[in-house]
C-alpha cells in the first residue's frame, strides 16, 4: 500500500514537472507580451516596453525563465519557511497573494454548487433507477440529456435575464395574478402526478392536493406581500418539522420503528422550543457560532435518540440527529428571511437584490445575516447554472450503478428473506451503488477549482479562471503557472484519493502494492 | 412443508419455460442465427430516443450544408452569412409557426442587417465539421495509443500512458489560445498560418482532436488489457498470427462497441468545447462565424434583439442533444448484458412456481462496461 502510494506520488511529481515545462513554454509562445505598447502612440513607449521587458524578464529565453520560476516554486515545498515565490503578475502583485484571493472566490462559487449537484443528482438517479421506464424516468432522462447539452454561457445569460432582472422587477410589486397562481399550481400538480407513482386514483389525488395547496399558498403570498417580508414563523416550522420527522424516519428506520419516530418528533418539539430561546442569541451571530450551534444540534439529536432507545438504538439516534439538524437549518433559514427586509432596503442594494455579476455588493455593511444574504443573492445564479449542467452526469451515473446493483443476486436474496423494500433499497442496494459514484465524486472535486472558467467569466467572479484567462491575455506566464500548478496538484491528489477510496470501499479491488 | 414431488418439479420446469420474466427481468431479445452486427442494429433501431436523435441530426445536417452552400458550392438560400441586406421590420424574425410562413429573414437579422438564418446555418456547419474532425482524429489516435499500450505493455505502455497523463492535465484553453495566436500571425507566412487562415475551422478541429484523444486512449487500453488475456487471443497466437493481425482482427472488433460509443460522447462534448472556446474568443474568429461566437457577440443585445441569442443557442442544444441520444442508443445496443430490470414487476412476482432464473445473456465480454474510472486502476 505504502509502496503504491509512494510510486504514484513520484510519477505524479514527474508528470507535473513535464507538464509545467510544457505549459510555461506554451504560454510564453502564445503571443507578444509587448503588443499593447507596439500599437500605442504614447511618447514614453520605449520606456514602457523596457519596463515590461524587465518585469517579465523577456531578455532570458523562455526555457531558462522556466527554471528560474521553478527555483522560486521549489521553495514552496519547504515547510514553514514562508519563502514561497511564484513570481509576480504584470500589475506587480505576488502570485501567491493573487492565488489566495482567487482560490477563496472560486471555492465559494463552486462548493455549494457541487454539493447540491451531488445530492440532487444521486437522489434523482436512485429514484429513476427504482422506477425504470416510468414516465418519471423518461422525463428525468430527457432533462438530464438536455442539461448535459446546454452551453453554460447560454444558460447563464438566460438566468440573468429571467432569474435576476425578471425577479427583481417582480419584487418591486410582488403580487401574483390569479391566473398565474393557478397556472403554477397546475404545473406543479402535474409534476407531482408524475413523481407520485402508484395507481391512477392515487396520482390524481396527489395532483389535486398539490394543486390546491400551491395555489392557496401563492394567493396567500400575493395578498400578504410575502416576498417583501418573508418568514416562516414557529407554526410553519413546527408543521414542516413534523413532516420532516416522518420523512426522515421513513428513510432511516421505517415507520414501524415507533421509538425512532418518537425520538424524531421529540427532536422537532425541542427545535420549536429552541426557536424561541435562541432568537436573541442569533441576533449577534457569527459564522463560528452557527457552526458550533449546528454541531450542538446534532449532538442533542443524538442524545434524544439515545435516551429514547428502542430495539435499535442506532436507528433512533440517526433519525433524531438528522431531524434536529434539519430543524436547525429551518430556524437559520427563518432568521435569514427575517433579515431580508433590511437587506432589501439597504442603500447599496436599492431594492434589486438578485445580482447578475460579481461575488458581493461592493462596500456593503451589516451584520452576519445581511452579509450572508448578500453572498446568497450573488451566488444563486452561478450556482443554479453550475448545478443544472453538472446534475446530469451524476443522475445518469447513479442510475446506471443502481440498476446494476438491483440486478445482483444478493438483492434477490434480501427480498427472498422477506426484508422490507426500504431495507433492501436503503441498506443493501443504495450503499453499494454509491461505491462507483464515490469515485467520480472524488474526480470531480479534483477538477473543481479549474473547472468553472466560463462560469466565472460570465458572472465576472475574479476567481482562478479569471486569473488564468487574464494571464493568457497578457502573455504573462506567472499567473497561468500558478493556477495550473494548483489545479494540477488537486486533480492528481484527488485522482489518487479516488483510487484509494475505491479499493477501501470495495474489497474486491486491491491496489497492486 | 413436504418435499416437492417429481410432479411438482416438472410443473415448475414447464412453468419456467413460460415465465422467463422472473423477478422483473425481461428476457433479452436474442433471436438465434443473428450475427452480432444484426443484433446491435436491431437493438439500436428499437431505441426510439436514438432514432429521433438520428432523424433530427440528419435534418440539421442536410439543412446546414445545403442552405448556404459548402466549400464553394452555392446553396439554395439567397443570403450568405457575410452579406448585408437592408433591415426588414427592424430585423425581427419573419418565420411564424401559424400560419406557417418562412418570410424574408426567418430567423431575423442582426444590427447591421446580416441574415441570421444564413449565419446560424454557417455556424452549424462549422460545429458539425469540427465535431466530425475531432471524432475521427481523437478516435484514430486514441485507438492507436490505447491498443499499443494495452497490447504490448512494458516500456511502450509506460511512455504512452505518461504522455497521456501530461496531455490530460495541460489545460485545453491554453492550447487553444496558443493556436489562435499562431493562426493569427498571418503576416509571417509560415505554412501553419497560411493553412489556418484559409481553413480556420478545420485547423481548430484538428487541433482539438489532437488533445481530446486521451480519455479514449485510456478506455481502449483498459479494453485491450482485459481482452488480451482471453483464450481466443491465445488461440490466435498459437496458430501463428502476427501481433498486427491479433490487434486488428481479433481484439479490435471486440472493443469496437466501447470505441464507437465513446467517440460519439467525445463528439458531443467537442461541440460544447468549440462553442465555449469561440465564446472566450480563442476559437473561430470573425469574419467567419460559429454558434458560440454568435452568442458571444449578441449576448449584450438580449433585451433588444433576443432572437440573435435564441436561434444559435437552440441549434447548439439540438445538435448536442441529438448526438447524445444517438450515443445513448449505441451504448444500449452494444451492451450485451443489457437486461430490462423492473422494480415494480419484481415486487409483483410472487408466484412460488416461478423459479428465480435469470435468462441466459450473451456471456461474451465484448463490452466490459465502459465506466470512465475503471480503466487506470493499479497502474
Amino acid at each position: 500500500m505504502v509502496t503504491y502510494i509512494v510510486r504514484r506520488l513520484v510519477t505524479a511529481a514527474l508528470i507535473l514537472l513535464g507538464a509545467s515545462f510544457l505549459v510555461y513554454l506554451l504560454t510564453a509562445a502564445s503571443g507578444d507580451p509587448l503588443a499593447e505598447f507596439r500599437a500605442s502612440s504614447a511618447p514614453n513607449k520605449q520606456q514602457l516596453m523596457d519596463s515590461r521587458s524587465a518585469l517579465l524578464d523577456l531578455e532570458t529565453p523562455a526555457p531558462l525563465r522556466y527554471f528560474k520560476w521553478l527555483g522560486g516554486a521549489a521553495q514552496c515545498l519547504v515547510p514553514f519557511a514562508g519563502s514561497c515565490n511564484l513570481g509576480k503578475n504584470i500589475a506587480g502583485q505576488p502570485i501567491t497573494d493573487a492565488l489566495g484571493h482567487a482560490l477563496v472566490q472560486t471555492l465559494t462559487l463552486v462548493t455549494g454548487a457541487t454539493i447540491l449537484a451531488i445530492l440532487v443528482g444521486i437522489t434523482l438517479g436512485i429514484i429513476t433507477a427504482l422506477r425504470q421506464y416510468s414516465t418519471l424516468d423518461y422525463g428525468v432522462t430527457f432533462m438530464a440529456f438536455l442539461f448535459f447539452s446546454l452551453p453554460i454561457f447560454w444558460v447563464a445569460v438566460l438566468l440573468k435575464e429571467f432569474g435576476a432582472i425578471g425577479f427583481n422587477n417582480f419584487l418591486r410589486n410582488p403580487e401574483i395574478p390569479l391566473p398565474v397562481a393557478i397556472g403554477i399550481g397546475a404545473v406543479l400538480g402535474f409534476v407531482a402526478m408524475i413523481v407520485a407513482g402508484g395507481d391512477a386514483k392515487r396520482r390524481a389525488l396527489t395532483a389535486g392536493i398539490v394543486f390546491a395547496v400551491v395555489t392557496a399558498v401563492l394567493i396567500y403570498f400575493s395578498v400578504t406581500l410575502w416576498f417583501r417580508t418573508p418568514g416562516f414563523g414557529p407554526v410553519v416550522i413546527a408543521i414542516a418539522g413534523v413532516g420532516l420527522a416522518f420523512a426522515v424516519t421513513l428513510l432511516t428506520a421505517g415507520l414501524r420503528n415507533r421509538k425512532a419516530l418518537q425520538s424524531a418528533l421529540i427532536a422537532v418539539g425541542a427545535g420549536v422550543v429552541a426557536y424561541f430561546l435562541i432568537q436573541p442569541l442569533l441576533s449577534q451571530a457569527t459564522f463560528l457560532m452557527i457552526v458550533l450551534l449546528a454541531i450542538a444540534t446534532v449532538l442533542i439529536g443524538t442524545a434524544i435518540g439515545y435516551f429514547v432507545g428502542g430495539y435499535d438504538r442506532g436507528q433512533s439516534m440517526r433519525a433524531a440527529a438528522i431531524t434536529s439538524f434539519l430543524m436547525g437549518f429551518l430556524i437559520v433559514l427563518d432568521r435569514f428571511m427575517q433579515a431580508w427586509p433590511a437587506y432589501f432596503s439597504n442603500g447599496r442594494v436599492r431594492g434589486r437584490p438578485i445580482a447578475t455579476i460579481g461575488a458581493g455588493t461592493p462596500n456593503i455593511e451589516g451584520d452576519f445575516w445581511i452579509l450572508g444574504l448578500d453572498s446568497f443573492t450573488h451566488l444563486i445564479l452561478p450556482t443554479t447554472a453550475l448545478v443544472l449542467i453538472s446534475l446530469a452526469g451524476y443522475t445518469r451515473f447513479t442510475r446506471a450503478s443502481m440498476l446494476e446493483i438491483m440486478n445482483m443476486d444478493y438483492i434477490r436474496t434480501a427480498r427472498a428473506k422477506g426484508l422490507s423494500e426500504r431495507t433492501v433499497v436503503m441498506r443493501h442496494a443504495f450503499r453499494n451503488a454509491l461505491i462507483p459514484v464515490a469515485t467520480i465524486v472524488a474526480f470531480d472535486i479534483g477538477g473543481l477549482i479549474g473547472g468553472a472558467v466560463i462560469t466565472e467569466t460570465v458572472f465576472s467572479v475574479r476567481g482562478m479562471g479569471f486569473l488564468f484567462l487574464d494571464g493568457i491575455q497578457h502573455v504573462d506566464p506567472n499567473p497561468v503557472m500558478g493556477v495550473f500548478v494548483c489545479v494540477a496538484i488537486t486533480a492528481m491528489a484527488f485522482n489518487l484519493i479516488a483510487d484509494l477510496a475505491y479499493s477501501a470501499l470495495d474489497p474486491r479491488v486491491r491496489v497492486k502494492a | 412443508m413436504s418435499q416437492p414431488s417429481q410432479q411438482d418439479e416438472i410443473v415448475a420446469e414447464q412453468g419456467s419455460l413460460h415465465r422467463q420474466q422472473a423477478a422483473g427481468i425481461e428476457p433479452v431479445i436474442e433471436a438465434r442465427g443473428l450475427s452480432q452486427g444484426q443484433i446491435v442494429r436491431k437493438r439500436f433501431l428499437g431505441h426510439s430516443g436514438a432514432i429521433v436523435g438520428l432523424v433530427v441530426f440528419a435534418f440539421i445536417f442536410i439543412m446546414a450544408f445545403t442552405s448556404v452552400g459548402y466549400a464553394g458550392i452555392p446553396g439554395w438560400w439567397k443570403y450568405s452569412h457575410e452579406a448585408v441586406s437592408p433591415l426588414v421590420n427592424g430585423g425581427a424574425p419573419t418565420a411564424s409557426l401559424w400560419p406557417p410562413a418562412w418570410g424574408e429573414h426567418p430567423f431575423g437579422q442582426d444590427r447591421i442587417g446580416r441574415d441570421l438564418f444564413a449565419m446560424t446555418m454557417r455556424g452549424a456547419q462549422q460545429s458539425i465539421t469540427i465535431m466530425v474532425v475531432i471524432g475521427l482524429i481523437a478516435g484514430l489516435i486514441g485507438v492507436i495509443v490505447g491498443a499499443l499500450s494495452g497490447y504490448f505493455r512494458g516500456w511502450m505502455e509506460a511512455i504512452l500512458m505518461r504522455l497521456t497523463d501530461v496531455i490530460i492535465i495541460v489545460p485545453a484553453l491554453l492550447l487553444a489560445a496558443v493556436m489562435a495566436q499562431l493562426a493569427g500571425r498571418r503576416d509571417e507566412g509560415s505554412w501553419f498560418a497560411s493553412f489556418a487562415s484559409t481553413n480556420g475551422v478545420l485547423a481548430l478541429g484538428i487541433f482539438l482532436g489532437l488533445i481530446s484523444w486521451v480519455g479514449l486512449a485510456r478506455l481502449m487500453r483498459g479494453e485491450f488489457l482485459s481482452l488480451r488475456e482471453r483464450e481466443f487471443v491465445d488461440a490466435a497466437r498459437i496458430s501463428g498470427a502476427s501481433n498486427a493481425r491479433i490487434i486488428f482482427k481479433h481484439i479490435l472488433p471486440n472493443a469496437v462497441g466501447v470505441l464507437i460509443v465513446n467517440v460519439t460522447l467525445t463528439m458531443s462534448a467537442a461541440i460544447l468545447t468549440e462553442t465555449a472556446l469561440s465564446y472566450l474568443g480563442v476559437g473561430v474568429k470573425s469574419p467567419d462565424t460559429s454558434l458560440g461566437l454568435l452568442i458571444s457577440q449578441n449576448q449584450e443585445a438580449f433585451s433588444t434583439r433576443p432572437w440573435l441569442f435564441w436561434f444559435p443557442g437552440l441549434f447548439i442544444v439540438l445538435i448536442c442533444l441529438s448526438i447524445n441520444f444517438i450515443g445513448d442508443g449505441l451504448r444500449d445496443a452494444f451492451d450485451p448484458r443489457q437486461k430490462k430490470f423492473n422494480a415494480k414487476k419484481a415486487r409483483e412476482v410472487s408466484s412460488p412456481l416461478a423459479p428465480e432464473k435469470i435468462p441466459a445473456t450473451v456471456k461474451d465480454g465484448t463490452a466490459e462496461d465502459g465506466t470512465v474510472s475503471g480503466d487506470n486502476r493499479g497502474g
Side-chain angles (χ1 to χ4, degrees):
Chain A
M1 190 69 166
V2 178
T3 342
Y4 172 75
I5 296 176
V6 169
R7 211 179 57 204
R8 280 286 296 262
L9 287 179
V10 170
T11 328
L14 290 177
I15 290 171
L16 194 62
L17 270 182
S20 63
F21 186 60
L22 201 62
V23 167
Y24 199 96
L25 292 189
L26 281 173
T27 319
S30 75
D32 178 9
L34 301 177
E36 56 176 312
F37 300 124
R38 285 193 214 287
S40 87
S41 54
N44 57 346
K45 182 173 160 185
Q46 193 55 46
Q47 193 189 344
L48 285 172
M49 282 166 96
D50 289 345
S51 71
R52 176 65 60 86
S53 301
L55 184 67
L56 292 181
D57 196 11
L58 292 182
E59 299 298 321
T60 322
L64 287 181
R65 259 188 288 155
Y66 169 76
F67 287 104
K68 279 190 181 172
W69 175 87
L70 192 65
Q75 291 171 13
C76 296
L77 295 176
V78 185
F80 311 116
S83 61
C84 198
N85 178 20
L86 290 175
K88 289 176 178 173
N89 63 9
I90 51 170
Q93 188 190 20
I95 296 298
T96 38
D97 291 0
L99 269 182
H101 291 295
L103 198 59
V104 172
Q105 295 278 349
T106 298
L107 283 182
T108 43
L109 179 70
V110 292
T111 313
T114 314
I115 293 175
L116 262 181
I118 291 173
L119 286 182
V120 178
I122 290 181
T123 318
L124 277 180
I126 302 254
I127 294 174
T128 47
L130 293 179
R131 297 236 195 106
Q132 199 190 9
Y133 303 123
S134 64
T135 322
L136 176 72
D137 183 31
Y138 284 123
V140 171
T141 306
F142 181 76
M143 292 307 247
F145 276 126
L146 183 65
F147 293 152
F148 204 59
S149 317
L150 289 177
I152 188 155
F153 47 92
W154 199 63
V155 180
V157 176
L158 287 186
L159 279 176
K160 280 182 179 180
E161 186 64 27
F162 297 110
I165 300 175
F167 190 70
N168 284 339
N169 288 342
F170 163 74
L171 279 184
R172 200 179 293 158
N173 182 22
E175 279 177 7
I176 307 167
L178 191 64
V180 176
I182 293 178
I184 296 176
V187 169
L188 288 182
F190 180 70
V191 172
M193 190 173 83
I194 292 172
V195 175
D199 54 9
K201 193 179 155 197
R202 195 180 135 185
R203 280 165 179 257
L205 198 66
T206 327
I209 293 173
V210 169
F211 169 69
V213 169
V214 169
T215 314
V217 166
L218 284 179
I219 292 172
Y220 171 78
F221 280 179
S222 173
V223 170
T224 57
L225 295 182
W226 188 83
F227 284 102
R228 277 285 175 76
T229 53
F232 289 139
V235 180
V236 176
I237 290 188
I239 296 173
V242 172
L244 282 176
F246 273 91
V248 169
T249 318
L250 185 67
L251 286 179
T252 55
L255 287 179
R256 288 240 186 88
N257 189 343
R258 288 290 158 189
K259 288 284 184 184
L261 185 61
Q262 258 176 35
S263 42
L265 286 175
I266 292 175
V268 172
V272 174
V273 175
Y275 173 80
F276 292 105
L277 294 181
I278 215 166
Q279 289 295 331
L281 188 62
L282 283 183
S283 302
Q284 298 140 19
T286 56
F287 183 69
L288 184 67
M289 191 215 272
I290 299 292
V291 173
L292 289 180
L293 279 178
I295 296 172
T297 317
V298 173
L299 288 181
I300 292 172
T302 320
I304 292 174
Y306 182 81
F307 286 117
V308 173
Y311 62 85
D312 190 344
R313 190 165 256 161
Q315 282 188 346
S316 306
M317 284 159 69
R318 235 173 290 149
I322 297 176
T323 315
S324 43
F325 181 77
L326 292 175
M327 279 302 281
F329 178 73
L330 279 182
I331 294 174
V332 170
L333 200 62
D334 182 71
R335 185 62 186 80
F336 269 119
M337 287 180 171
Q338 288 175 29
W340 180 259
Y343 178 71
F344 189 76
S345 51
N346 187 298
R348 298 259 165 215
V349 180
R350 291 194 304 276
R352 297 193 74 78
I354 309 290
T356 52
I357 52 167
T361 313
N363 304 326
I364 192 167
E365 284 172 8
D367 57 2
F368 172 77
W369 305 104
I370 299 281
L371 293 180
L373 276 177
D374 190 53
S375 8
F376 171 76
T377 52
H378 282 85
L379 281 178
I380 183 157
L381 291 188
T383 304
T384 316
L386 281 175
V387 167
L388 278 187
I389 57 160
S390 50
L391 190 65
Y394 292 116
T395 311
R396 296 297 294 168
F397 200 81
T398 316
R399 178 175 177 274
S401 153
M402 189 73 179
L403 280 179
E404 199 175 333
I405 299 283
M406 291 304 277
N407 275 324
M408 291 280 177
D409 287 340
Y410 63 80
I411 296 294
R412 195 173 299 113
T413 312
R415 285 218 177 88
K417 284 197 295 194
L419 294 182
S420 68
E421 192 63 21
R422 185 195 68 80
T423 321
V424 172
V425 171
M426 291 297 286
R427 249 197 218 166
H428 293 71
F430 176 63
R431 295 184 182 182
N432 287 306
L434 282 190
I435 294 177
V437 179
T439 17
I440 64 156
V441 166
F443 274 122
D444 284 3
I445 292 176
L448 210 67
I449 59 174
V453 178
I454 297 172
T455 321
E456 284 178 11
T457 318
V458 184
F459 289 102
S460 317
V461 176
R462 301 174 77 87
M464 302 289 267
F466 174 82
L467 203 60
F468 187 76
L469 276 183
D470 200 49
I472 289 184
Q473 269 157 18
H474 290 108
V475 201
D476 180 6
N478 285 340
V480 174
M481 291 304 287
V483 174
F484 167 74
V485 167
C486 279
V487 172
I489 288 180
T490 31
M492 289 193 198
F494 275 94
N495 237 324
L496 179 61
I497 291 175
D499 285 356
L500 294 180
Y502 201 99
S503 81
L505 290 173
D506 188 346
R508 288 170 302 181
V509 178
R510 281 278 161 252
V511 295
K512 272 185 286 175
Chain B
M1 286 291 191
S2 61
Q3 289 282 320
S5 66
Q6 191 85 17
Q7 192 70 28
D8 285 344
E9 277 176 13
I10 291 169
V11 171
E13 252 171 44
Q14 282 170 346
S16 79
L17 288 177
H18 295 292
R19 297 166 181 266
Q20 288 237 314
Q21 284 132 319
I25 298 166
E26 291 162 19
V28 190
I29 314 135
E30 299 290 1
R32 280 177 196 283
L34 289 183
S35 74
Q36 203 187 351
Q38 284 167 318
I39 295 172
V40 167
R41 195 155 55 238
K42 209 171 160 186
R43 286 221 200 104
F44 181 75
L45 293 176
H47 194 284
S48 45
I51 295 303
V52 173
L54 202 61
V55 170
V56 171
F57 181 70
F59 181 69
I60 293 177
F61 183 86
I62 292 171
M63 204 157 86
F65 280 89
T66 58
S67 60
V68 291
Y70 187 67
I73 306 163
W76 48 264
W77 187 241
K78 48 198 164 195
Y79 301 105
S80 82
H81 66 278
E82 286 161 330
V84 178
S85 55
L87 281 179
V88 178
N89 189 19
T94 53
S96 67
L97 280 178
W98 193 259
W102 199 235
E104 190 65 18
H105 295 286
F107 289 1
Q109 286 166 294
D110 71 356
R111 195 172 43 80
I112 58 172
R114 283 178 295 183
D115 182 54
L116 185 64
F117 178 74
M119 289 198 286
T120 309
M121 288 303 114
R122 175 70 181 165
Q125 272 185 15
Q126 308 278 47
S127 289
I128 294 174
T129 313
I130 287 189
M131 178 185 93
V132 172
V133 171
I134 290 180
L136 287 179
I137 294 182
L140 196 66
I141 303 181
V143 166
I144 293 174
V145 172
L148 291 180
S149 55
Y151 185 77
F152 290 109
R153 311 214 54 182
W155 58 269
M156 178 94 86
E157 184 187 23
I159 293 176
L160 287 176
M161 281 299 117
R162 292 300 85 78
L163 179 71
T164 317
D165 288 342
V166 168
I167 293 183
I168 274 185
I169 63 170
V170 172
L173 187 58
L174 175 66
L175 291 167
V178 175
M179 207 220 59
Q181 175 68 27
L182 291 179
R185 286 185 199 159
R186 293 181 189 174
D187 49 322
E188 290 185 13
S190 70
W191 64 271
F192 182 80
S194 60
F195 175 71
S197 60
T198 47
N199 310 292
V201 62
L202 213 55
L204 186 68
I206 292 173
F207 177 77
L208 285 177
L210 286 180
I211 54 175
S212 47
W213 52 268
V214 281
L216 266 172
R218 283 188 162 184
L219 275 176
M220 288 314 286
R221 170 177 162 266
E223 281 297 297
F224 269 76
L225 279 181
S226 71
L227 286 174
R228 74 193 281 273
E229 308 296 335
R230 300 282 296 272
E231 289 85 351
F232 63 85
V233 174
D234 290 340
R237 195 173 291 132
I238 291 168
S239 343
S242 66
N243 282 334
R245 188 178 168 81
I246 294 178
I247 290 179
F248 289 110
K249 286 275 173 186
H250 295 271
I251 301 187
L252 200 55
N254 281 305
V256 83
V258 179
L259 177 68
I260 290 180
V261 170
N262 285 287
V263 166
T264 325
L265 298 181
T266 311
M267 280 159 67
S268 85
I271 292 188
L272 289 184
T273 315
E274 180 269 323
T275 52
L277 289 178
S278 301
Y279 178 82
L280 289 175
V282 289
V284 177
K285 292 256 168 85
S286 186
D288 207 341
T289 190
S290 96
L291 296 175
L293 193 64
L294 277 176
I295 292 181
S296 149
Q297 284 166 343
N298 296 315
Q299 57 173 336
E300 305 301 332
F302 187 75
S303 47
T304 51
R305 297 168 191 272
W307 57 88
L308 289 180
F309 178 81
W310 282 114
F311 286 108
L314 188 71
F315 271 83
I316 297 179
V317 173
L318 276 181
I319 296 175
C320 201
L321 195 59
S322 54
I323 296 290
N324 270 328
F325 268 107
I326 295 173
D328 193 50
L330 286 172
R331 177 175 20 214
D332 283 359
F334 276 112
D335 188 357
R337 294 177 310 169
Q338 177 83 21
K339 294 175 268 195
K340 290 194 172 181
F341 167 80
N342 189 328
K344 198 161 69 183
K345 254 183 202 156
R347 249 171 276 139
E348 279 165 4
V349 170
S350 53
S351 163
L353 276 183
E356 305 267 314
K357 193 171 194 176
I358 317 168
T361 50
V362 191
K363 289 277 188 288
D364 158 339
T366 44
E368 308 278 6
D369 67 325
T371 45
V372 193
S373 50
D375 49 304
N376 58 340
R377 202 134 286 115

